[in-house]
């Protein structure tokens, strides 16, 4: 009996390339993660996750901290949606367990490290869903894998997998929602529509601006129901609408209910982020001129500090890719083209952008919609032997990979903090438009600087290296000794968890064992995927 079970399990795993995709990207993202939180808003979300587990409450501790707002009964609340905090709960529980097992390690360090595991795994799930979506659209294993590789390693998705921000989570949830709609179109099973509505609603519970994407996905779902190949009856259409709409409505109620719990008002969404418009001297949320909208759109597309075309070079192929994609998948192509136009116009008009980021982090959920049409071009290279735009696509993907390597090697928060520690205070517009302050250039310089610093740390040992830097005052941007010690690490080494563990004196064999495990999993999955690419006989999964 057990032998039959393991044979069946082996057969299922062998025929599940998406599992290998998830394992490969999980290992890659975990190997290159930072192992810490990157901003105070993530710390606030983590405090809410802890409060939900320990106190079954959504109030914050009574001390002054950025991004806190006063609400019901004068207590402090997080202004952010609660979805990201809910996603953090399993990782908080895991961190608490590990801290109890290894009491010699500081508990906050262990819990924060476990929070760092969240987005690598969630983003890897998004890559697996991206692969499944390509397969569901009829593309070969080879085409789906190559396009997934472009999405997962040649765009800003990779650097943001290191963070605990909510944008990578929303990108993965939206991919699940689109996949559910396409699965329904293939088989007509209502469970896929229900899954799409549920995950789409959870995306909105994670970030309010996900509603723009969910609106587009909802229109796609309506089209798939109305134009279903089997010709649904009126009652079947009603059931399909309920299957998708009820879960979406439940999450909409949760969003409004969370407002009421905090502020005693259903529509008080609170302060989600500082309006960049205020930082550039804009007094109104919407610009009153078309020129201003064009300036905002230009900033998101082409600027040296925020332009998505610089930080995700393969997106430059979108125009040619979507034309090819449109011939085969018209409704989905319209979604992939319509959502970027809507988002760019709205964000451009509001000058909505993140302050410290690798490119524009608010566009991370948009990235899968910009990359998915590339599957049409890639299919021409891999399946039909076409050379149309081949060199351009390969060159841009290589450039994208190089850009992301810079993004994962150095913390973009640390780069800004280094500038502040030297007395430089470049404003957002300067960082967006002046090439001298482009994160790509700054990170390239930082990589060159950190190579000899890291070698010195390995040669002299962590204690001697940190003591030398702190005695000279280098890296001590904060007055407290702990912050100064941490800044020495951030300003002189690479932003990888194993570098961090080296300086906090975690036994080397533990770090080596974890690295060996992750590299082994990545190589094993890579070998399995290459074997599947050579065979290319894995069928599209049935609904």
């Amino acid at each position: 009996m057990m032998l039959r079970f393991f044979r069946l399990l082996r057969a299922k795993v062998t025929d599940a390339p998406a599992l290998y995709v998830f394992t490969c990207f999980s290992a890659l993202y975990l190997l290159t993660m930072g192992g810490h939180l990157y901003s105070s808003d993530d710390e606030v979300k983590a405090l809410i996750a802890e409060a939900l587990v320990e106190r079954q409450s959504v109030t914050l501790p009574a001390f002054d901290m950025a991004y806190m707002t006063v609400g019901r009964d004068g207590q402090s609340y997080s202004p952010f949606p609660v979805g990201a905090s809910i996603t953090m709960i399993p990782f908080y529980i895991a961190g608490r367990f590990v801290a109890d097992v290894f009491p010699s390690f500081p508990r906050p360090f262990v819990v924060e490290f476990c929070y760092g595991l969240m987005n690598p795994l969630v983003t890897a799930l998004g890559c697996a869903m991206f692969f499944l979506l390509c397969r569901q659209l009829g593309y070969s294993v080879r085409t789906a894998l190559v396009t997934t590789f472009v999405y997962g390693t040649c765009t800003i998705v990779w650097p943001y997998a290191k963070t605990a921000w909510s944008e990578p989570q929303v990108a993965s949830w939206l991919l699940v929602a689109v996949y559910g709609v396409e699965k329904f179109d293939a088989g007509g099973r209502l469970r896929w529509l229900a899954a799409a509505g549920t995950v789409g609603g959870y995306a909105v519970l994670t970030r309010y601006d996900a509603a723009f994407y969910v609106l587009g996905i909802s229109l796609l779902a309506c089209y798939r129901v109305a134009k279903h190949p089997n010709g649904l009856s009126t009652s079947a259409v009603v059931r399909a609408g309920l299957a998708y709409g009820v879960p979406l409505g439940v999450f909409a109620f949760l969003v409004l209910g969370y407002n009421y719990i905090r502020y005693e008002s259903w529509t008080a969404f609170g302060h989600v982020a500082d309006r960049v418009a205020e930082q550039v001297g804009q007094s109104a949320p919407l610009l009153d001129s078309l020129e201003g909208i064009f300036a905002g759109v230009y900033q998101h597309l082409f600027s040296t500090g925020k332009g998505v075309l610089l930080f995700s070079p393969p997106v430059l192929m979108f125009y040619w890719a979507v034309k090819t994609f449109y011939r085969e998948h018209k409704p989905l192509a319209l979604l992939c083209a319509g959502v970027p136009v809507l988002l760019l116009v709205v964000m451009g008009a509001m000058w909505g952008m993140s302050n410290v980021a690798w490119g524009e982090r608010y566009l991370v959920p948009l990235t899968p919609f910009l990359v998915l049409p590339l599957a049409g071009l890639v299919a021409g290279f891999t399946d039909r032997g076409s050379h149309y735009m081949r060199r351009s696509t390969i060159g841009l993907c290589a450039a994208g990979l190089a850009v992301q390597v810079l993004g994962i090697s150095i913390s973009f928060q640390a780069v800004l903090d280094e500038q502040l520690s030297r007395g430089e205070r470049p404003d957002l517009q300067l960082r967006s438009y002046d090439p001298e302050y482009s994160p790509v250039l700054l990170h390239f310089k930082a990589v060159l600087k950190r190579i000899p610093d890291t070698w010195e740390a390995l040669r002299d040992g962590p204690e001697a290296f940190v003591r030398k830097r702190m005695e000279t005052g280098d890296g001590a941007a904060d007055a407290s000794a702990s912050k100064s010690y941490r800044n020495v690490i951030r300003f002189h080494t690479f932003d990888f968890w194993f570098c961090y563990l080296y300086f906090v004196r975690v036994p080397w064999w533990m770090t080596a064992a974890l690295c060996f495990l992750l590299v082994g999993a990545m190589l094993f999955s890579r070998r399995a995927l290459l074997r599947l690419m050579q065979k290319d006989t894995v069928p599209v999964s049935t609904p």
Side-chain angles (χ1 to χ4, degrees), residues 447-457 465 469 492 494:
V447 167
L448 296 181
K449 175 180 177 293
R450 279 161 171 75
I451 291 175
D453 287 348
T454 303
W455 170 250
E456 181 183 347
F465 178 80
R469 296 293 176 181
H492 297 281
F494 295 99

Side-chain angles (χ1 to χ4, degrees), residues 164-178:
W165 285 335
S166 57
E167 288 82 3
Q169 301 165 35
V170 171
S172 296
W173 307 149
L174 294 175
L175 280 167
V176 176
V178 174

Side-chain angles (χ1 to χ4, degrees), residues 115-301:
Y115 282 141
L117 304 174
M118 176 177 62
N119 273 358
L121 296 176
V122 172
T123 307
L125 174 64
C127 291
M129 297 309 304
F130 190 95
F131 171 83
L132 287 174
L133 180 57
C134 290
R135 291 291 289 140
Q136 187 62 39
L137 296 177
Y139 293 109
S140 65
V141 172
R142 185 178 293 105
T143 297
L145 284 176
V146 171
T147 312
T148 304
F149 172 82
V150 173
Y151 170 70
T153 63
C154 303
T155 69
I156 57 176
V157 166
W158 188 3
Y160 282 106
K162 295 167 63 75
T163 71
W165 285 335
S166 57
E167 288 82 3
Q169 301 165 35
V170 171
S172 296
W173 307 149
L174 294 175
L175 280 167
V176 176
V178 174
Y179 178 70
V181 173
E182 293 302 307
K183 288 287 286 184
F184 166 78
D185 184 60
R189 296 191 178 182
L190 296 180
R191 65 183 184 184
W192 291 110
L193 273 183
T198 300
V199 180
Y202 190 69
V204 178
L205 193 66
T206 302
R207 276 194 66 86
Y208 297 140
D209 58 5
F212 290 107
Y213 301 92
V214 173
L215 174 62
I217 296 172
S218 299
L219 293 176
L220 177 66
C222 292
Y223 178 84
R224 293 304 191 193
V225 170
K227 301 292 184 180
H228 196 272
N230 297 335
L232 301 180
S233 63
T234 303
S235 59
V237 170
V238 172
R239 289 196 299 271
L242 292 174
Y244 180 82
V246 169
L248 203 59
V250 169
F251 278 97
F253 177 79
L254 291 176
V255 169
L256 299 177
Y258 187 56
N259 289 339
Y260 188 81
I261 290 174
R262 293 178 295 172
Y263 307 117
E264 296 184 286
S265 173
W266 297 95
T267 57
F269 287 92
H271 171 69
V272 179
D274 287 329
R275 289 283 188 194
V276 177
E278 297 176 4
Q279 301 178 27
V280 298
Q282 181 186 319
S283 59
L286 290 177
L287 294 178
D288 56 2
S289 69
L290 188 61
E291 180 183 356
I293 295 178
F294 286 150
V297 172
Y298 174 86
Q299 189 168 25
H300 287 91
L301 288 178

